[in-house]
Amino acid sequence: MRILVGGISHESNSFNPIITGINDFVVFRGEEVLTKGLLPYYSSTGIIDTLRGWGWEVVPALVARAVPNGLVQHELYQSLKAEFLHYLDEALTEAPIDGICLGLHGSLKVENLGAAEGDLLAAIRERLPDVPLTVALDMHATVTDEMIRYCDGIVGYKTAPHIDCYETGVHAAKLLRSAFDSGKKLCIGRVSIPMLIAGEKSESAEEPMKSLLAACVEAEKRDGILAASILLGFPWADCEDNGVSIVTVSDGCQKLADETAKELARKFWSERHNFRFRAEHYDSVSSILKAIEAVTINKEQPVFISDSGDNPTAGATGDATELFEAMLSFSDKIQSLPTPLLYSGFFDAPAVDACMRAGEGKTLDITIGGNLDKINGKQIPCTVKVLRLVKDYGTYRSNLALVEYKNMHIVLTGKHIGFGDENLLPALGVNPLDYCIVTVKLGYLEACFQDIAARAIMATSKGCSNELLETLDYPKTRKPIYPLNKNMEWSC
């Protein structure tokens, strides 16, 4: 069997003014997909390893990924799509392609185009209209009619934070094999639920998601059901298709796929009032005061504060300053903390460039934040000392700076990257256990922080990933939709 693999993946936040460009992406082309692109947190890696394990020939096209951000530049998307199709066309000149298995996200949005997965799939189907095609999706995929039309099988992550990306790729490959082994056409069942859910209300280890995902796993044990997925949509993208989708795949029985999807959808809707923040949470000012109290009175350390409204891994800019400004209003209290406060961090390329020019140990005047998010961010003048510099960090080769400002140590990044990376702080020589308060631009804490936090507080701060969805404007999203319309009725 010759199987085409690849994908273009991005979670696009329409509230973020950044247009995501080529410098924000990491791209693996052709044979690079099979060498440099085999990273364990890619679903495409699970796909490739599984296909190789069966002795099937893997035909690599292109894998392109970026940290969640604003809409993707139209010209860039068209260029990446053209490259993908080029590798497909080249492969077809050598021998037929028997099947397709892709690792996508499901919430890729492109300026002047909108939802892009359907566009990519349509272009692939023009060349290969009849071969089986399965995809692995992120749990926060926004399912469109085109995705259902052009795919034979769909399966999504079942964990948030997402720790089963590889396993989902394995599942997608097994769906593809089922299409060959049974000789039956796979059938997709789909129910769209008019509901938006903030990411921090849907952790897979907490109820009701824990039980709802367990119901999907149980459904997959039934004869004929090959996959059952809850795809939550992406709440920070205003688009007409946004909302929750239940997607099932059966081995040749459309009725079974449809009935199973409806059953799971009814269970999901019945739990709509039970989705809530499980973490301790307050507005920005109260979060700071609670953290200071925890340190100074309860002697807890480290206390983590999530700057959830400006979470780059949810597509926010990473330079909103609402929480930072609130901290500065309590400078006296922060100055008296037993250790500096660690803030990780801000995406601020001009500030990082200035620190790089100055060098470690130097003191200089910079501004922090407010370059991109002009609604929730201001350029805050700061006289800082450069403590540590790192060049070309990580997959996206970002320059980093650790600076001291008053009784704070602040991480600055030269590129739009996430702050949940367990290697980011060690690269700067920072151990969060040495700090009494650690502020991170995240929603729910990643495992590396959950494991060491004496206490975790989520600030419902303002930014492009504002967790209070009811405060945001969704002119394109179909209404009524819960919770924007709290008293609405719905059934399937």
Side-chain angles (χ1 to χ4, degrees):
M1 293 287 184
R2 297 185 81 227
I3 309 300
L4 182 79
V5 302
I8 303 173
S9 297
H10 189 247
E11 192 172 63
S12 308
N13 184 322
S14 67
F15 297 100
N16 181 341
I18 298 173
I19 298 299
T20 308
I22 187 59
N23 291 333
D24 299 300
F25 271 83
V26 58
V27 183
F28 305 104
R29 298 171 170 89
E31 289 299 315
E32 288 182 338
V33 172
L34 306 180
T35 53
K36 298 179 183 179
L38 285 178
L39 299 178
Y41 47 90
Y42 287 4
S43 59
S44 55
T45 304
I47 292 169
I48 291 166
D49 285 352
T50 304
L51 298 176
R52 282 174 158 175
W54 295 333
W56 293 6
E57 182 181 352
V58 177
V59 180
L62 171 145
V63 169
R65 295 173 59 94
V67 172
N69 210 337
L71 302 184
V72 173
Q73 182 188 48
H74 186 269
E75 182 181 356
L76 170 61
Y77 166 72
Q78 295 295 348
S79 174
L80 293 173
K81 182 176 80 168
E83 284 194 72
F84 189 104
L85 297 174
H86 168 74
Y87 285 106
L88 169 54
D89 291 338
E90 274 199 339
L92 285 172
T93 65
E94 299 172 3
I97 297 293
D98 299 301
I100 307 162
C101 197
L102 305 177
L104 304 178
H105 183 283
S107 288
L108 167 64
K109 303 292 187 298
V110 174
E111 61 173 349
N112 304 320
L113 176 64
E117 281 87 1
D119 179 76
L120 176 63
L121 291 166
I124 293 170
R125 280 305 196 192
E126 286 181 5
R127 290 158 169 81
L128 295 168
D130 300 318
V131 305
L133 188 161
T134 62
V135 300
L137 295 178
D138 191 285
M139 182 186 282
H140 296 101
T142 303
V143 179
T144 65
D145 293 343
E146 291 76 16
M147 291 164 67
I148 299 297
R149 181 182 309 134
Y150 298 125
C151 292
D152 294 286
I154 291 172
V155 63
Y157 304 161
K158 288 184 173 66
T159 61
H162 308 316
I163 58 173
D164 65 333
C165 308
Y166 181 96
E167 291 78 4
T168 305
V170 173
H171 199 157
K174 289 180 176 178
L175 287 179
L176 186 67
R177 179 154 195 162
S178 295
F180 292 121
D181 289 349
S182 70
K184 302 175 185 177
K185 180 174 174 57
L186 303 183
C187 297
I188 296 179
R190 170 203 180 191
V191 176
S192 299
I193 304 172
M195 185 169 171
L196 298 173
I197 303 174
E200 280 53 50
K201 291 183 177 180
S202 56
E203 293 181 68
S204 56
E206 302 290 345
E207 296 294 354
M209 278 298 286
K210 183 178 179 179
S211 294
L212 292 168
L213 289 164
C216 290
V217 173
E218 287 301 309
E220 291 172 344
K221 296 177 182 177
R222 300 174 188 173
D223 288 342
I225 293 295
L226 303 176
S229 304
I230 297 171
L231 301 171
L232 296 172
F234 185 54
W236 297 292
D238 178 32
C239 61
E240 64 175 349
D241 293 304
N242 208 357
V244 176
S245 294
I246 307 298
V247 177
T248 58
V249 182
S250 78
D251 188 9
C253 181
Q254 188 64 54
K255 182 179 179 182
L256 178 61
D258 292 340
E259 289 179 349
T260 304
K262 288 179 180 179
E263 173 193 334
L264 294 170
R266 285 190 285 267
K267 285 183 180 179
F268 195 97
W269 182 252
S270 71
E271 295 284 358
R272 65 191 180 281
H273 301 299
N274 295 323
F275 285 92
R276 56 186 182 272
F277 298 127
R278 302 295 172 174
E280 181 181 0
H281 61 281
Y282 313 97
D283 62 28
S284 292
V285 169
S286 298
S287 295
I288 297 162
L289 293 176
K290 288 287 185 180
I292 292 172
E293 178 185 278
V295 170
T296 57
I297 298 177
N298 301 337
K299 308 302 180 184
E300 296 173 285
Q301 181 178 329
V303 176
F304 277 75
I305 303 174
S306 295
D307 186 357
S308 69
D310 191 36
N311 175 11
T313 55
T317 60
D319 77 336
T321 58
E322 189 248 2
L323 181 64
F324 187 40
E325 291 175 69
M327 286 182 173
L328 295 180
S329 70
F330 296 106
S331 291
D332 291 346
K333 291 180 180 293
I334 290 175
Q335 199 66 32
S336 64
L337 290 172
T339 74
L341 180 151
L342 176 64
Y343 204 136
S344 181
F346 288 90
F347 167 41
D348 196 319
V352 171
D353 289 345
C355 291
M356 286 285 177
R357 289 193 298 271
E360 291 183 0
K362 300 297 185 180
T363 298
L364 70 156
D365 293 326
I366 59 173
T367 64
I368 294 178
N371 297 310
L372 300 161
D373 188 343
K374 303 293 187 181
I375 297 174
N376 306 291
K378 297 178 183 176
Q379 293 183 333
I380 309 296
C382 301
T383 300
V384 303
K385 180 180 180 181
V386 181
L387 301 179
R388 185 72 63 89
L389 296 170
V390 174
K391 292 183 177 180
D392 297 331
Y393 168 78
T395 302
Y396 298 97
R397 301 178 65 84
S398 174
N399 289 341
L400 309 176
L402 179 70
V403 301
E404 182 179 66
Y405 176 62
K406 298 184 176 180
N407 199 30
M408 299 182 186
H409 289 178
I410 302 171
V411 176
L412 305 173
T413 68
K415 287 192 175 181
H416 186 270
I417 61 176
F419 292 98
D421 178 356
E422 65 182 349
N423 298 312
L424 177 64
L425 293 177
L428 286 163
V430 171
N431 183 349
L433 287 171
D434 294 336
Y435 295 84
C436 60
I437 296 176
V438 180
T439 300
V440 286
K441 285 188 183 291
L442 285 173
Y444 45 64
L445 295 181
E446 300 293 345
C448 60
F449 297 139
Q450 286 181 353
D451 292 344
I452 64 172
R455 186 167 172 182
I457 297 170
M458 186 179 79
T460 54
S461 51
K462 295 179 181 178
C464 298
S465 60
N466 191 328
E467 292 286 337
L468 304 177
L469 302 183
E470 298 90 331
T471 67
L472 300 176
D473 188 24
Y474 291 90
K476 297 179 183 177
T477 299
R478 290 185 184 130
K479 312 292 192 311
I481 191 166
Y482 185 86
L484 307 187
N485 307 100
K486 287 189 177 295
N487 297 320
M488 65 173 289
E489 296 294 331
W490 176 83
S491 62
C492 66

